[in-house]
Amino acid sequence: MSRLALRPDARHVGLSHDARRCKKNMTTPNELIRNFSIIAHIDHGKSTLADQFLLKTGTITAREFQNQMLDAMDLERERGITIRMHPVTIYHQYQGKTYELNLIDTPGHVDFSYEVSRSLAACEGCILLVDSFQGVQAQTVANAYLAMEHDLTIVPVLNKIDLPIARPDVVIAEMEQALAITPAEVLRASGKAGIGIEEVLAAIIERIPAPKGSADDPLRALVYNSHFDTYKGVVVYVCVKEGTLRKGQRIRLLRDGTEHDVIEIGRFRPGMTPCEELAAGQVGYVMAQIKTLGDVHIGDTVTDALRPAAEALPGYKEPKAMVFSGLYPVNNQDFETLREALGKLRLNDASFTYMPENSEGLGFGFRCGFLGMLHREIIQQRLERHSSLDLVQTAPNVTYEILTRKGEILVIDNPQKVPDPGQIEEFREPFVRISFLLPSENIGDLMQLCTERRGIYLRTEYLSPARAILAYELPLAEVIYDLYDKLKSVTHGYGTMDYELIGYRPADLVRLDILVAGKRVDALSTIVHRVFADRRGRKLVKKLRGEIDRHLFAIAIQAAIGSRVIARETIAPIKKNVTAKCYGGDITRKRKLWAKQAAGKKRMKQVGQVEIPQEAFLAVLETDQ
Amino acid sequence: MKGTRQLDSPWLHPRAAYVHIPFCLQHCSYCDFAVVAGRDERIDEYLDALGCELRGLQEPHPVATLFVGGGTPTHLNCVQLERLLDLLATWLPLEPGHEYTVEANPETLTDDRIALLASHAVTRLSLGAQSFSARVLTALTRSHHAADIRRSVTRARERIDTVSLDLIFGVPGTTLADWRQDLDETLSLGIGHVSTYGLTYEKGTLLWKQKRDGQVHALDEQTELTMYEHSMDRLQSAGFEHYEISSFARPGRRCRHNQVYWANHAYLGFGLGAARYVNGTREVNTRDLATYLDRCRSGRSPTMQSETLSPLDRARETLTVQLRRAEGIERMSFHAQTGFDLDELAGATIRRLVELALLADNGISVRLTRRGKCVADSLTLEFLK
């Protein structure tokens, strides 16, 4: 319920009160500031805990809390996950002093680990939140390691301690085993019931170091996020590391050297609340009449144009799209509309990429890159929600590398770009190191799953007799589509996973083509391992036979590698489909029925004479091997 | 309407009328028409209401074809039937050379009723025979026997010009042999018109529910196809013209009233659930008996639905409806009727379907081929998408 409470653009919330407070605390000394994140596995109650901080510190009232819940990103609410970072500044009285606590929320899903890393760079510490029933999960481990890499102080907290099924001792033992956390440091809380919140706030103040850096140094502020506001332009989220950021100041973005005048600065309380300045250690936002998100690079450094800092802060790696798929308008004349829609989406999501491409079968469309499958799904849903376009999406693929006989390296983000086998010296695919956290009893099933997917076993590590971490190296292509679902099904929902890219490796890969009615449908081509090609081809044509409706003529569906056909199925033509009675009263009814059926056909993609439904383009993903 | 009547625009100004009599002895398992079973006490009220609806014409409207369908019009007793026929004679007088059809069920066609119909200038009887097989008649919950069909046809032909038989094929559990026998029996009667309907499972009917619940199983596509092809072969070899997808007639015996529908021309409609198409507007009356009675008696219109299509949609509709006819879509008259050039509207689709041998195009008109007739609905979709 709570992930909405941190929405930054809820300006109506307690503005005047906040503005006063903001001014009064304009010059909070460093030692009274704490910047922290909450890291957790998805559903471990991160946002609920954050809401409790807001309530307990009077940042919002219970009534406002309710109001805010109503205005939020509907996709996040539906999916129950946090995608974007929602920062907030809260003030807390502790031992007679007022502390400024800047909370930077993080997303919990595996596709968005990049965003977690961004948030952590703006902090000195973090709360590691673990569900006291579910225990340590794959993202708990992954996020904790990320925090350690950033040298952050970790405050371990067990959440949902009030649940009758909580098993704190077992989970604390897991935390000790997996993350070397000292049991005595672990706090117990319940975000839902409001238990232990004071203790957690106290631990943030006592254990997490205050930010270093002086308000008098030349300005260096880290850009850790941004969003686009239709009325105000780009809102840049910053963490001031050194110096002071003031309204009216002329700032420079170090990477491109562009300069802007600061129109407004402020904090997230949680609505955007203007203030006069942000000094070293403080977190907030800057608006400087920047027109597009493309002009602001996440990880860039903001400095004073008149008194610039010599060096930029250590930035971030650019987010790298790992999964690609083609996106085509069903009607070719919608191409420009689709381009506009994609452009709008990218305004608020720089991690998503798109390039025009052309398919023989599908016409003009775009090759889009995503952080992962969840990201891909979210983008697709946003597109459908905000435009009335009928779209066809091709099966996702990863980026391959090909070393040609001439010694060139080709980057292949689309099976259609695979050159002739004769030109290929080496075909390489991306590998990931993947950790599964799962009940010990399912280890056998999961190992089998990984073996079928060309996995290389690394190790098993037991957190307790009942739970283990299983580590594998797997081709990313075998991971992206349904491994997560398979893991969930093998472990009855108890397994979790996390992965990181480890590089490219040579593999015996081929392009598997599909011919429909004698015509190669380039959008149905896939890259597969040679060993699996025959079986995959047979399965695929069988699957396609079921996905493509019968037509007025027979349709051959073939799978081929190069010119060699390895499988064939035939879709028989429609033999009889005729309405017996069509008299006066039937005409309207029939026309409506036919119009409905014809509209259904319109959503299909016409390839030659054959109508291919969207499902068929995804059939290539069905990898039940 | 009468003052501005233009005889050269039959798609706007009706010279055809349909009158619906919903009453039946029972509700058959496949039927989704507006029918009322076991409510005979309402027949007189219904005739009153129908009179009110007809009075809405304000003055008699002469028609070239009149079709009384149901339900079972001949379920009315002789007094009621005569009242109906008199009412229609008053409001819908027949033009010279008229066609006047009444639907009947074989078991209801007594000599009295035949005489009554003949004396009111009825020229055509459409008999709901459906089958000669006792097993099939039971499955369709019909209340007559094969003997009723033979008797009623013989008696009717003595007084009435044309007799047509409705037959249903593709009933669950039947074979091609059953269907052959039905057609042979039909031909042995020497009648001039036959309609053969492939069984459809209309939503809400008893058969539809039985199929949904797995109690009956639809015939496979190949068997249905073979049955339909056999109808074409058998009836055509017996001298019948296959003049519409489900309709066969000996020369000169086509149903002129139904051809109005397939030309997408205008027609009047009266009675429960009746449809009309006047001046480019389609209307349908309520299917609820109480509402119908109430509205008509209080001088209000029983119309429940009304729509006027755009010229383009009307042209498309005309195309799909006319495609059902043996003569197909004739380019000149299509243009006159719709304002659209057939080839501009659908040239590419026509060429594609001609290539697949589903349509035949002689430059003047476009018609379904034999194979095209079997998949006419799929062809319609090609034109609409």
Side-chain angles (χ1 to χ4, degrees):
Chain A
M1 57 169 183
S2 50
R3 39 205 63 94
L4 318 176
L6 302 181
R7 183 78 177 140
D9 46 2
R11 292 208 58 168
H12 58 283
V13 179
L15 183 84
S16 57
H17 165 77
D18 281 333
R20 260 198 323 275
R21 178 95 88 114
C22 194
K23 260 181 198 155
K24 203 175 72 191
N25 287 283
M26 227 156 49
T27 50
T28 308
N30 275 10
E31 66 267 23
L32 295 182
I33 298 175
R34 299 291 182 272
N35 294 325
F36 71 104
S37 281
I38 307 176
I39 54 178
H41 189 76
I42 191 166
D43 284 342
H44 279 198
K46 189 175 44 162
S47 303
T48 317
L49 181 69
D51 290 345
Q52 280 295 339
F53 291 163
L54 300 190
L55 281 170
K56 280 270 149 82
T57 58
T59 307
I60 54 167
T61 64
R63 187 180 54 79
E64 287 164 347
F65 174 74
Q66 287 298 326
N67 287 343
Q68 285 199 349
M69 284 179 42
L70 297 175
D71 105 291
M73 222 164 157
D74 40 358
L75 266 179
E76 293 192 24
R77 181 168 46 198
E78 272 168 37
R79 309 189 65 107
I81 51 173
T82 308
I83 300 164
R84 315 202 53 136
M85 284 178 287
H86 299 159
V88 65
T89 300
I90 53 188
Y91 292 96
H92 183 54
Q93 299 286 333
Y94 182 69
Q95 295 185 342
K97 291 179 192 159
T98 303
Y99 285 86
E100 177 180 319
L101 309 181
N102 294 305
L103 163 59
I104 294 157
D105 203 10
T106 60
H109 191 275
V110 59
D111 281 3
F112 300 98
S113 59
Y114 160 78
E115 300 236 356
V116 176
S117 153
R118 276 198 217 174
S119 306
L120 295 183
C123 304
E124 282 76 40
C126 65
I127 293 173
L128 177 68
L129 194 66
V130 182
D131 182 305
S132 58
F133 170 65
Q134 291 186 15
V136 172
Q137 300 291 332
Q139 268 109 64
T140 316
V141 177
N143 287 338
Y145 281 141
L146 268 180
M148 291 172 196
E149 274 172 35
H150 285 82
D151 283 330
L152 300 193
T153 302
I154 293 175
V155 178
V157 177
L158 271 190
N159 195 18
K160 308 189 189 178
I161 201 74
D162 57 321
L163 290 182
I165 50 169
R167 32 185 204 122
D169 297 335
V170 178
V171 173
I172 288 173
E174 283 180 4
M175 290 166 83
E176 186 180 10
Q177 177 68 31
L179 305 166
I181 280 167
T182 315
E185 287 177 1
V186 181
L187 300 171
R188 301 177 181 215
S190 165
K192 207 162 217 169
I195 299 168
I197 306 304
E198 290 289 344
E199 288 76 5
V200 175
L201 287 167
I204 290 167
I205 290 165
E206 289 186 352
R207 297 189 201 171
I208 295 176
K212 298 180 199 81
S214 156
D216 302 322
D217 285 342
L219 173 65
R220 289 210 294 175
L222 178 71
V223 176
Y224 71 90
N225 200 2
S226 59
H227 83 261
F228 187 80
D229 183 296
T230 319
Y231 301 105
K232 299 176 170 172
V234 176
V235 180
V236 184
Y237 297 25
V238 292
C239 170
V240 182
K241 294 288 189 185
E242 287 152 17
T244 306
L245 189 60
R246 291 186 182 84
K247 194 171 160 183
Q249 195 173 17
R250 187 155 181 86
I251 54 167
R252 182 184 297 167
L253 292 168
L254 271 182
R255 180 170 146 164
D256 291 344
T258 55
E259 297 189 2
H260 308 270
D261 290 315
V262 175
I263 302 298
E264 182 181 324
I265 60 174
R267 299 196 179 93
F268 299 101
R269 300 260 315 119
M272 281 168 36
T273 308
C275 62
E276 293 301 316
E277 61 177 49
L278 290 170
Q282 292 187 306
V283 174
Y285 66 89
V286 185
M287 285 185 259
Q289 288 183 313
I290 300 170
K291 297 286 183 298
T292 70
L293 280 185
D295 298 335
V296 179
H297 301 281
I298 309 299
D300 201 354
T301 303
V302 178
T303 189
D304 189 319
L306 302 175
R307 194 186 159 214
E311 254 182 75
L313 295 161
Y316 298 112
K317 273 187 267 175
E318 286 281 325
K320 217 169 155 188
M322 289 312 300
V323 175
F324 290 83
S325 72
L327 203 55
Y328 289 82
V330 170
N331 299 311
N332 279 325
Q333 61 265 37
D334 288 339
F335 177 78
E336 283 305 324
T337 320
L338 176 59
R339 186 202 291 275
E340 273 169 39
L342 290 170
K344 262 188 209 153
L345 261 182
R346 192 172 149 81
L347 276 184
N348 254 325
D349 186 351
S351 57
F352 145 74
T353 64
Y354 63 99
M355 290 276 290
E357 75 172 356
N358 185 9
S359 147
E360 285 164 38
L362 298 176
F364 290 98
F366 294 92
R367 177 120 298 233
C368 302
F370 310 94
L371 297 176
M373 290 298 283
L374 178 69
H375 190 212
R376 172 176 175 273
E377 202 180 314
I378 285 169
I379 295 279
Q380 182 196 355
Q381 285 184 11
R382 289 205 179 127
L383 272 178
E384 281 171 4
R385 233 166 252 216
H386 299 305
S387 63
S388 54
L389 294 169
D390 286 326
L391 299 172
V392 171
Q393 245 192 104
T394 64
N397 61 266
V398 301
T399 312
Y400 296 88
E401 276 182 9
I402 286 175
L403 175 66
T404 64
R405 291 262 150 91
K406 289 182 192 155
E408 292 170 307
I409 290 184
L410 306 176
V411 175
I412 306 289
D413 61 9
N414 184 340
Q416 295 164 47
K417 293 188 188 161
V418 174
D420 255 18
Q423 295 178 36
I424 300 175
E425 179 68 38
E426 195 170 87
F427 209 143
R428 300 168 186 160
E429 65 177 333
F431 260 71
V432 296
R433 184 175 300 127
I434 184 163
S435 309
F436 302 98
L437 216 152
L438 76 170
S440 314
E441 64 196 36
N442 304 127
I443 287 178
D445 293 332
L446 191 71
M447 287 179 105
Q448 191 186 338
L449 202 62
C450 289
T451 308
E452 285 165 0
R453 289 165 189 246
R454 302 185 278 133
I456 300 162
Y457 172 79
L458 295 179
R459 65 179 181 279
T460 310
E461 200 177 307
Y462 284 87
L463 296 183
S464 69
R467 305 213 319 138
I469 296 176
L470 197 58
Y472 263 91
E473 286 175 358
L474 273 163
L476 179 61
E478 302 284 346
V479 174
I480 55 165
Y481 180 57
D482 63 349
L483 185 63
Y484 186 68
D485 294 339
K486 286 280 187 307
L487 168 71
K488 285 288 171 193
S489 112
V490 160
T491 62
H492 309 288
Y494 289 110
T496 53
M497 64 182 238
D498 199 90
Y499 61 82
E500 57 173 332
L501 190 67
I502 52 174
Y504 279 80
R505 292 181 186 173
D508 191 5
L509 301 169
V510 291
R511 189 180 75 195
L512 181 64
D513 291 329
I514 297 295
L515 290 83
V516 175
K519 206 168 147 58
R520 185 167 76 90
V521 182
D522 48 14
L524 286 173
S525 293
T526 48
I527 293 168
V528 297
H529 197 273
R530 191 183 301 278
V531 170
F532 300 142
D534 273 21
R535 195 166 37 164
R536 186 71 164 270
R538 279 198 302 275
K539 275 201 118 92
L540 196 48
V541 293
K542 194 168 266 178
K543 175 92 184 154
L544 285 168
R545 191 187 62 181
E547 295 289 353
I548 297 174
D549 287 341
R550 290 193 300 160
H551 280 56
L552 289 162
F553 44 88
I555 303 168
I557 301 179
Q558 295 161 297
I561 296 171
S563 58
R564 188 168 61 93
V565 172
I566 57 173
R568 180 193 162 111
E569 294 274 346
T570 305
I571 300 174
I574 298 172
K575 292 178 192 152
K576 180 171 180 291
N577 177 27
V578 53
T579 299
K581 293 192 183 197
C582 190
Y583 298 110
D586 303 313
I587 293 173
T588 301
R589 203 161 48 103
K590 283 291 167 202
R591 173 167 33 71
K592 285 182 179 163
L593 185 72
W594 284 326
K596 215 165 121 190
Q597 290 174 3
K601 280 176 169 281
K602 275 187 191 144
R603 281 195 295 276
M604 299 191 201
K605 197 75 206 184
Q606 184 98 26
V607 177
Q609 295 270 35
V610 182
E611 285 146 3
I612 304 183
Q614 162 78 64
E615 292 73 30
F617 292 100
L618 296 175
V620 291
L621 295 166
E622 305 293 326
T623 52
D624 303 340
Q625 289 168 350
Chain B
M1 180 190 306
K2 191 183 157 214
T4 59
R5 188 152 160 198
Q6 295 174 354
L7 291 175
D8 55 347
S9 299
W11 52 89
L12 296 177
H13 305 293
R15 291 179 62 218
Y18 175 82
V19 177
H20 191 75
I21 303 298
F23 299 96
C24 277
L25 183 61
Q26 63 198 28
H27 197 152
C28 297
S29 59
Y30 58 91
C31 176
D32 78 329
F33 287 109
V35 297
V36 176
R39 307 280 300 279
D40 293 358
E41 76 284 358
R42 311 299 292 267
I43 294 176
D44 288 310
E45 288 172 71
Y46 183 81
L47 294 175
D48 293 343
L50 185 63
C52 294
E53 192 189 2
L54 284 162
R55 246 195 308 280
L57 285 170
Q58 294 182 338
E59 52 186 272
H61 185 114
V63 290
T65 69
L66 178 56
F67 196 108
V68 182
T72 314
T74 50
H75 181 66
L76 271 53
N77 66 36
C78 284
V79 176
Q80 293 162 334
L81 188 59
E82 183 160 25
R83 220 191 124 193
L84 170 69
L85 296 169
D86 287 342
L87 190 61
L88 299 181
T90 306
W91 289 103
L92 301 167
L94 300 158
E95 293 176 357
H98 71 269
E99 175 194 276
Y100 189 174
T101 307
V102 175
E103 285 185 343
N105 277 353
E107 77 277 24
T108 61
L109 216 45
T110 59
D111 288 352
D112 293 352
R113 287 193 177 100
I114 293 171
L116 204 52
L117 295 173
S119 69
H120 281 78
V122 170
T123 58
R124 221 177 149 264
L125 267 180
S126 173
L127 271 185
Q130 320 310 4
S131 174
F132 291 82
S133 147
R135 192 161 47 85
V136 174
L137 290 170
T138 306
L140 297 175
T141 62
R142 299 293 291 182
S143 49
H144 64 264
H145 305 283
D148 293 324
I149 304 172
R150 295 186 197 104
R151 184 199 53 79
S152 58
V153 169
T154 311
R155 303 296 283 172
R157 291 187 67 202
E158 292 166 7
R159 302 291 304 271
I160 291 174
D161 188 43
T162 302
V163 172
S164 172
L165 237 57
D166 283 0
L167 297 173
I168 293 181
F169 68 90
V171 175
T174 58
T175 62
L176 181 61
D178 294 325
W179 179 234
R180 277 177 195 280
Q181 185 154 2
D182 272 344
L183 284 176
D184 290 347
E185 289 255 17
T186 303
L187 287 171
S188 73
L189 297 173
I191 54 174
H193 192 282
V194 179
S195 298
T196 65
Y197 300 121
L199 179 67
T200 48
Y201 299 82
E202 298 293 348
K203 201 170 175 186
T205 61
L206 178 64
L207 257 179
W208 174 81
K209 285 177 194 142
Q210 288 173 339
K211 178 171 166 242
R212 182 196 60 190
D213 300 340
Q215 292 162 5
V216 302
H217 300 283
L219 290 193
D220 65 282
E221 190 187 26
Q222 184 58 52
T223 308
E224 279 190 19
L225 176 70
T226 312
M227 287 177 170
Y228 184 50
E229 287 183 323
H230 178 69
S231 318
M232 293 194 257
D233 294 340
R234 184 75 184 87
L235 290 166
Q236 278 166 329
S237 68
F240 283 76
E241 296 164 343
H242 189 189
Y243 75 103
E244 188 263 349
I245 284 189
S246 300
S247 310
F248 299 84
R250 290 189 191 281
R253 299 284 177 178
R254 295 184 182 193
C255 178
R256 283 158 54 200
H257 182 84
N258 287 342
Q259 287 179 297
V260 167
Y261 300 137
W262 303 321
N264 218 18
H265 284 175
Y267 51 93
L268 297 168
F270 303 93
L272 190 72
R276 70 190 68 86
Y277 183 37
V278 178
N279 241 327
T281 298
R282 291 194 181 281
E283 291 182 345
V284 184
N285 281 352
T286 175
R287 285 171 72 108
D288 179 72
L289 181 62
T291 308
Y292 178 80
L293 296 178
D294 183 51
R295 290 230 183 161
C296 290
R297 283 183 306 207
S298 60
R300 285 175 295 154
S301 161
T303 303
M304 281 307 250
Q305 270 181 43
S306 173
E307 65 170 352
T308 308
L309 292 183
S310 68
L312 176 63
D313 284 340
R314 196 166 6 165
R316 290 214 175 104
E317 183 190 79
T318 303
L319 189 159
T320 60
V321 173
Q322 291 190 350
L323 206 52
R324 295 181 68 90
R325 313 184 296 188
E327 64 266 42
I329 309 157
E330 203 266 314
R331 283 186 166 83
M332 297 270 277
S333 68
F334 183 83
H335 187 266
Q337 180 170 346
T338 66
F340 284 83
D341 180 272
L342 181 63
D343 296 295
E344 277 171 30
L345 187 70
T349 308
I350 291 171
R351 281 192 295 279
R352 197 152 53 77
L353 296 174
V354 166
E355 246 173 65
L356 291 169
L358 297 168
L359 288 182
D361 184 353
N362 61 8
I364 295 164
S365 62
V366 175
R367 288 165 290 112
L368 294 174
T369 61
R370 178 183 163 103
R371 219 157 67 68
K373 286 175 184 170
C374 302
V375 291
D377 283 15
S378 299
L379 298 196
T380 300
L381 288 180
E382 296 294 314
F383 283 110
L384 294 180
K385 77 182 187 198

